[in-house]
Amino acid sequence: MIQIKNLRKEYGNRTVLNNVSLSIEKGEIFGLLGPNGAGKTTLIRILTMLASHSGGAITINNLQLPEEARKIKSLLGCVPQHLNLDGELTAWENLELHGRLHHIPMQERRQRIDELLEYVELSDRAADMASTFSGGMKRRLMIARALMHRPKILFLDEPTVGLDPQVRRRLWDLILSLNHQGLTVLLTTHYIEEAEALCQRVAILEKGKLVITGTPADLRCKVGQYAVEWTESDGIKFRFFTVRAEAVTFMNSLDTSTTLRNTNLEDVFVELTGRKVRE
Ligand SMILES: Nc1ncnc2c1ncn2[C@@H]1O[C@H](COP(=O)(O)OP(=O)(O)O)[C@@H](O)[C@H]1O
Ligand SMILES: [Mg+2]
């Protein structure tokens, strides 16, 4: 669905994306994982044509970007990192405005608004101003807005940042349900558990470079399936194992209390970059 080849982005003399090559398949939820400043938003902005790229090639649904920008635009829906609803408008009016901008005929537009408000569970708040909404409700309204023109690919830039765990889970369910209906999703996150809960494949981005791409399970296998953790005076130590019995033997060889756990994407990130995703 999306093919990115040797993508580069420079701001002045700073390289923000450094030869990124990536493909996103139709129907998957693909996660771009990386710490703040890695270049995730820049990549989304380039794919949604809010920023230009300095080098490389991008095709979306076999259309060249930026040459076929108009055709591509109708395929994309985007929920940006920062809340950008019109707080002075009601939920309904926010969607109506988007529908008009996309030249959706009135009858279809109004039907779509009702459908989507129902879908994101905001029907009863349709007439309330967006500024009165909680963080989770605003995100859901932004998702509804991004879906108004029936895009084939949805971009979600840090969709659950700043939300409490319960609200986050509700949004995860919404994203999964959209994907089950056939929508291809590209999301960025610096929450490991979000990438693991939602994404069929992830790419780890650090300082503008792709470190690794694969399914969460494949990535975890790179470091080994098991982690043994123990505490020393200068902090938490861990070691990774592919075979459980070897992990247990190692635990028994230490004369301190240890924990055996499954490895996660944070371990992969630390192992590959020497840094943590959330610092
Ligand atoms: N418009 C811009 N002008 C100059 N530098 C920018 C601009 N936008 C982003 N950057 C820089 O690009 C890098 C990547 O930023 P960003 O894509 O927002 O990262 P992320 O979304 O992963 O946190 C950062 O170092 C940021 O300061
Ligand atoms: Mg960002």
Side-chain angles (χ1 to χ4, degrees), residues 11 14 16 34-43 81 157-158 205:
Y11 282 116
R14 186 191 310 157
V16 175
N36 283 328
K40 305 182 297 296
T41 296
T42 303
L43 183 56
Q81 185 170 353
D157 196 359
E158 308 260 7
L205 191 67

Side-chain angles (χ1 to χ4, degrees), residues 60-73:
I60 296 181
N61 221 12
N62 295 320
L63 301 164
Q64 294 282 343
L65 190 156
E67 290 78 4
E68 294 171 280
R70 270 183 74 91
K71 281 190 196 155
I72 293 176
K73 233 168 210 164

Side-chain angles (χ1 to χ4, degrees), residues 163-221:
L163 301 178
D164 63 50
Q166 218 179 340
V167 179
R168 172 173 300 161
R169 270 168 206 285
R170 202 160 156 206
L171 265 182
W172 288 357
D173 288 342
L174 177 61
I175 295 166
L176 286 168
S177 129
L178 289 168
N179 177 249
H180 282 147
Q181 292 174 34
L183 197 67
T184 304
V185 178
L186 174 59
L187 67 86
T188 75
T189 185
H190 63 275
Y191 296 124
I192 297 284
E193 49 303 0
E194 183 154 293
E196 294 196 339
L198 293 180
C199 302
Q200 282 115 36
R201 288 194 308 137
V202 296
I204 294 180
L205 191 67
E206 199 219 14
K207 294 180 185 159
K209 277 194 173 173
L210 270 195
V211 181
I212 197 169
T213 307
T215 66
D218 284 349
L219 266 50
R220 285 193 297 265
C221 280

Side-chain angles (χ1 to χ4, degrees), residues 11-23:
Y11 282 116
N13 55 12
R14 186 191 310 157
T15 302
V16 175
L17 291 171
N18 193 348
N19 280 328
V20 170
S21 294
L22 195 61
S23 69

